[in-house]
Amino acid sequence: MHFATFTNALGLILMAGNVPAQGHPGMRLKRASNQTADLSELKTWWHSTGEINTQTPVQNANVRQSHMYSVQIGTASDATSFYDSFVYETIPRNGNGNIFSPDDLSSVCDGQNCSEDDQISIEPDIGADMAWTQYLASTTTIVRITRSDDGSVDPSNVIIRPSNLQFDMQLDGDAVLITVPYSDDGHRFSVEFQDNLWEYRTSGPETNAHYVQNKDPNGANYVSSYEDTMPIVGVEPTNALMIFMSPFPSSEYIPDLSTAYHVPFGLVTGLDQVTESVVHFGPGVYWLTGSAHAILSSSVTWIYLAPGAYVKGAIQYESQSLDLRATGFGVLSGEQYVYQANTAEGYKNIKSDDTSLKMWRGHSAVGTKWTVHGVTTNAPPFNSMDFYGSDLGSFTVDASDYKQVGAFFGQTDGIQMYPGSHARNIFYHVGDDAIKTYYSNVLCEKMVVWKTNNGPIVQFGWYQRDTKNVTVDAVDVIHTRYVSQQVPWPRALVASAASYESETSTSVADITKHLSNYNITNWRCEGICPALLGINPLQNIDEMVFSNIWVETLSPAFEVGTSTFRVFTDSNNGDQAIALGDNSPDNLGLIIEDFYVGSEKVSFEAGNWDSTSLGRLNIDGHYSGRWTVR
Ligand SMILES: *[C@@H]1O[C@H](CO)[C@@H](O)[C@H](O)[C@H]1NC(C)=O
Ligand SMILES: *[C@@H]1O[C@H](CO)[C@@H](O)[C@H](O)[C@H]1NC(C)=O
Ligand SMILES: *[C@@H]1O[C@H](CO)[C@@H](O)[C@H](O)[C@H]1NC(C)=O
Ligand SMILES: *[C@@H]1O[C@H](CO)[C@@H](O)[C@H](O)[C@H]1NC(C)=O
């Protein structure tokens, strides 16, 4: 909360919380209807087919609209005008229930015919959902938010996350006004009303713990009262609201629409027959159904989702062009698909790493770069993006101003970052591995991450790899809610899972491979956080630096809050253990510096690092001398 003075556009100096009366000259006029802005300084949009519906799938041509929030945007320089900005909403399972067959709400999973738990349990019963709005601006803007329930909009009831943004807030009648300074990086933030929080509790400390809830006696995992043995593992707004402010895009992100294929509104078919290189979804609603996705013809290199385009589908490139793009400020929504929709099996809920649907997929040529900018991916049913090809080592990604929302399902990863990738200014609501550092020469920065229950924030495991020159910098983790640690699938800020092929064996490492020059810098984790690291090393780790990491508080669940670094050996090389630091200066393999829990610094010197102390670092004794906390 920031109670600085606020000078409005009329030059009146207001204190935050000092409310101008109705009709006061400082008061901004609220537009009554869906009037949008298409100005040089501000662009907003609207869907005329908004459907407020918190329970069931929305009609094909409709867009789920927030039942809770209305948002208007104004510029700081025009005190009288606010413009509507459509507030989208996603509910867990998209109202489909836990089903097996697409578009068949009666095909409820029975534990036999759906291959895996979708990792949604109490969320529908407690009414959890995620709303978001997106607008473009070239100046300071004022975001005006009203609620449809009776809850308070007083700034004292609102926390904006990342909490270090400290945007000015002001009460304006039935609305809270948030001043959002212009930034070339845009802003991706959560507006959290403190009377609208859900405390996620687990059934207890056991490994197979699950969430419990005391709200709906007919819902999942109901308990009439909470016991002391049921710790709070995460706190989130029940009705989340994300605000995405983006600068207007530069020309490299806007294709020449004069030669584009303009997709007709409604049911989308025939994109495999298009001869143009650009496929343009103009403002409007499109759908492919739960049993189809957009397989593009080989001519198509660029998908443009205009602001106000809402496409219920998934995209698969077939072009062999070296320059593939997806841009615009529209939404690609997986809401019509079942969990892990398997394209080879009628899009049914049958997991396959290869053929379960990715929201973004390609089969590409050596040397391809995929540029993604501006778009929002909603409700992914599985890993959000994977490309395939003969040599992924030569594929690269340039991702910026990308948003993933409504990722309530468990196995919903962030995008892959192939060698040489640069990812920045990204928001992830994400179930599984959020930031995947499997390849070399990757820079990932300026990330806001809202993590649910599965996988770590950064993942670098699963396979034995040679990976070097990786930086993950400036990350704000605004929520996590881990139920358990579940080694060897570690949940931590930074982790490597054990081998995909042999999850239980610790003798599957490869001592001929190295992770080196790998830096995790300038992180903040708000609220209840998992351990700093959970490493099942499948290759040598030469040099790994954690620098300037602040964690508000470590999870009360012991195994979630405690870092682990296990010893793995290489059965092909005499069961030799992987080396930590043997190829780095002074054999210092793992360097943790300026690591804070709360306001206290963790260090060897302060003696507060071990698994029973503040830092809760539990590093196998085999590696003593090969790591430091300073
Ligand atoms: C505003 O809403 C009305 C009524 O729903 C609709 O007819 C109109 O098209 C909407 N305008 C915009 C800009 O969406
Ligand atoms: C799932 O299995 C149950 C029990 O075998 C069956 O009744 C149900 O019809 C199946 N659902 C689908 C969609 O096949
Ligand atoms: C390290 O990775 C960054 C980010 O991709 C890249 O710009 C830089 O050239 C790489 N350095 C080397 C030595 O390859
Ligand atoms: C990682 O940090 C080390 C130590 O500060 C530095 O020497 C190295 O250049 C950094 N590497 C990258 C990829 O940022």
Side-chain angles (χ1 to χ4, degrees):
M1 204 65 44
H2 192 55
F3 283 101
T5 55
F6 174 85
T7 308
N8 77 0
L10 295 181
L12 299 172
I13 296 185
L14 306 168
M15 292 296 290
N18 177 6
V19 193
Q22 288 281 331
H24 186 281
M27 181 91 188
R28 286 160 182 275
L29 300 178
K30 183 184 162 192
R31 301 276 179 169
S33 70
N34 54 357
Q35 182 164 343
T36 55
D38 198 0
L39 311 169
S40 61
E41 291 193 316
L42 177 66
K43 182 171 179 64
T44 68
W45 51 90
W46 191 259
H47 292 279
S48 59
T49 59
E51 179 177 327
I52 291 177
N53 172 354
T54 60
Q55 300 298 324
T56 61
V58 299
Q59 296 297 302
N60 282 330
N62 290 354
V63 181
R64 196 182 308 274
Q65 181 171 3
S66 174
H67 72 285
M68 183 74 168
Y69 304 110
S70 297
V71 172
Q72 298 178 306
I73 316 290
T75 60
S77 57
D78 177 355
T80 58
S81 302
F82 273 99
Y83 300 91
D84 294 296
S85 185
F86 189 87
V87 186
Y88 300 85
E89 182 176 275
T90 297
I91 62 175
R93 299 189 179 117
N94 309 296
N96 289 321
N98 186 11
I99 60 170
F100 175 67
S101 289
D103 308 316
D104 177 3
L105 301 193
S106 70
S107 65
V108 176
C109 292
D110 64 356
Q112 305 280 312
N113 47 13
C114 291
S115 60
E116 284 182 1
D117 176 17
D118 69 3
Q119 299 178 41
I120 291 173
S121 58
I122 66 168
E123 292 86 341
D125 303 319
I126 64 171
D129 58 40
M130 176 169 277
W132 79 96
T133 198
Q134 160 85 69
Y135 64 96
L136 309 182
S138 60
T139 184
T140 299
T141 46
I142 314 292
V143 174
R144 184 181 198 283
I145 302 168
T146 55
R147 294 171 61 166
S148 66
D149 66 353
D150 292 333
S152 167
V153 290
D154 191 284
S156 65
N157 189 43
V158 183
I159 291 180
I160 292 171
R161 296 189 194 278
S163 60
N164 59 347
L165 286 173
Q166 306 240 317
F167 292 154
D168 282 324
M169 287 190 271
Q170 189 194 352
L171 183 65
D172 176 19
D174 64 346
V176 60
L177 305 183
I178 301 171
T179 300
V180 179
Y182 175 77
S183 164
D184 286 340
D185 290 322
H187 288 292
R188 294 149 297 281
F189 60 94
S190 171
V191 179
E192 308 191 349
F193 295 91
Q194 299 302 293
D195 62 335
N196 180 249
L197 300 181
W198 181 262
E199 293 178 335
Y200 282 85
R201 286 176 187 263
T202 74
S203 54
E206 70 270 16
T207 308
N208 293 320
H210 51 77
Y211 296 127
V212 291
Q213 54 92 13
N214 66 354
K215 189 168 176 177
D216 178 0
N218 299 315
N221 305 342
Y222 174 75
V223 293
S224 55
S225 65
Y226 294 132
E227 308 294 330
D228 292 345
T229 51
M230 299 174 175
I232 297 169
V233 296
V235 182
E236 297 183 353
T238 312
N239 306 110
L241 174 63
M242 296 301 307
I243 309 283
F244 302 134
M245 170 267 158
S246 298
F248 284 87
S250 58
S251 57
E252 68 197 289
Y253 299 127
I254 306 171
D256 177 1
L257 294 179
S258 68
T259 57
Y261 175 74
H262 305 282
V263 184
F265 301 130
L267 179 68
V268 177
T269 58
L271 293 184
D272 56 342
Q273 303 297 317
V274 164
T275 55
E276 292 84 351
S277 60
V278 174
V279 164
H280 169 220
F281 291 92
V285 183
Y286 308 79
W287 65 92
L288 284 105
T289 80
S291 51
H293 69 286
I295 301 173
L296 306 173
S297 80
S298 60
S299 68
V300 178
T301 60
W302 193 334
I303 291 288
Y304 182 67
L305 303 170
Y310 193 88
V311 181
K312 301 174 185 177
I315 300 289
Q316 178 172 326
Y317 297 86
E318 291 292 331
S319 168
Q320 297 301 296
S321 165
L322 302 185
D323 178 2
L324 300 178
R325 299 186 197 197
T327 66
F329 291 89
V331 179
L332 185 69
S333 174
E335 69 193 67
Q336 295 191 319
Y337 300 115
V338 301
Y339 185 47
Q340 301 186 334
N342 189 328
T343 57
E345 305 231 30
Y347 295 75
K348 292 191 169 78
N349 184 339
I350 303 169
K351 179 186 172 177
S352 158
D353 283 320
D354 182 18
T355 57
S356 283
L357 186 72
K358 318 297 184 314
M359 295 297 287
W360 303 97
R361 179 180 182 129
H363 299 262
S364 43
V366 170
T368 302
K369 173 165 138 180
W370 184 54
T371 301
V372 59
H373 175 85
V375 301
T376 298
T377 299
N378 176 44
F382 193 46
N383 296 349
S384 59
M385 172 275 224
D386 271 306
F387 278 72
Y388 298 82
S390 57
D391 182 11
L392 286 173
S394 72
F395 187 85
T396 194
V397 174
D398 182 11
S400 53
D401 199 347
Y402 176 77
K403 283 82 55 172
Q404 174 168 297
V405 296
F408 289 102
F409 286 130
Q411 287 205 23
T412 49
D413 300 31
I415 61 174
Q416 290 274 15
M417 299 189 295
Y418 297 106
S421 291
H422 185 196
R424 70 271 191 206
N425 297 326
I426 287 173
F427 171 72
Y428 280 141
H429 182 237
V430 60
D432 210 347
D433 305 331
I435 297 171
K436 295 150 84 125
T437 58
Y438 301 157
Y439 301 95
S440 297
N441 301 321
V442 164
L443 173 60
C444 174
E445 54 181 345
K446 302 176 188 168
M447 311 289 288
V448 177
V449 179
W450 180 323
K451 189 72 188 59
T452 63
N453 181 46
N454 200 23
I457 314 296
V458 173
Q459 170 71 266
F460 67 94
W462 302 119
Y463 294 97
Q464 297 81 1
R465 312 164 187 279
D466 270 318
T467 304
K468 61 174 188 238
N469 184 25
V470 171
T471 300
V472 183
D473 180 58
V475 176
D476 287 288
V477 179
I478 60 171
H479 294 285
T480 72
R481 51 175 168 98
Y482 289 102
V483 173
S484 69
Q485 172 68 274
Q486 290 197 357
V487 170
W489 303 281
R491 284 83 191 258
L493 293 182
V494 178
S496 64
S499 165
Y500 202 82
E501 273 93 28
S502 179
E503 288 155 347
T504 51
S505 171
T506 57
S507 60
V508 294
D510 181 347
I511 59 163
T512 70
K513 291 192 157 66
H514 296 260
L515 185 86
S516 54
N517 202 7
Y518 184 102
N519 291 2
I520 301 291
T521 51
N522 304 312
W523 280 51
R524 300 173 60 262
C525 181
E526 301 184 5
I528 296 171
C529 298
L532 178 65
L533 52 89
I535 297 182
N536 298 291
L538 299 179
Q539 61 279 308
N540 300 313
I541 296 185
D542 296 346
E543 192 173 54
M544 181 173 211
V545 176
F546 289 77
S547 183
N548 191 25
I549 314 288
W550 172 74
V551 160
E552 189 164 350
T553 179
L554 289 170
S555 173
F558 183 79
E559 76 282 14
V560 178
T562 304
S563 290
T564 56
F565 195 120
R566 303 163 74 205
V567 180
F568 273 56
T569 55
D570 183 345
S571 55
N572 291 324
N573 283 292
D575 284 333
Q576 195 176 323
I578 71 98
L580 175 61
D582 286 357
N583 296 292
S584 72
D586 306 325
N587 289 350
L588 272 183
L590 173 63
I591 297 167
I592 300 170
E593 59 189 18
D594 296 320
F595 170 38
Y596 289 83
V597 177
S599 56
E600 229 179 299
K601 183 171 163 171
V602 178
S603 68
F604 280 171
E605 192 180 1
N608 58 359
W609 57 272
D610 74 11
S611 56
T612 58
S613 307
L614 183 73
R616 290 163 69 181
L617 299 169
N618 185 12
I619 313 251
D620 193 287
H622 175 85
Y623 295 118
S624 76
R626 313 290 182 72
W627 61 289
T628 189
V629 189
R630 64 192 186 198

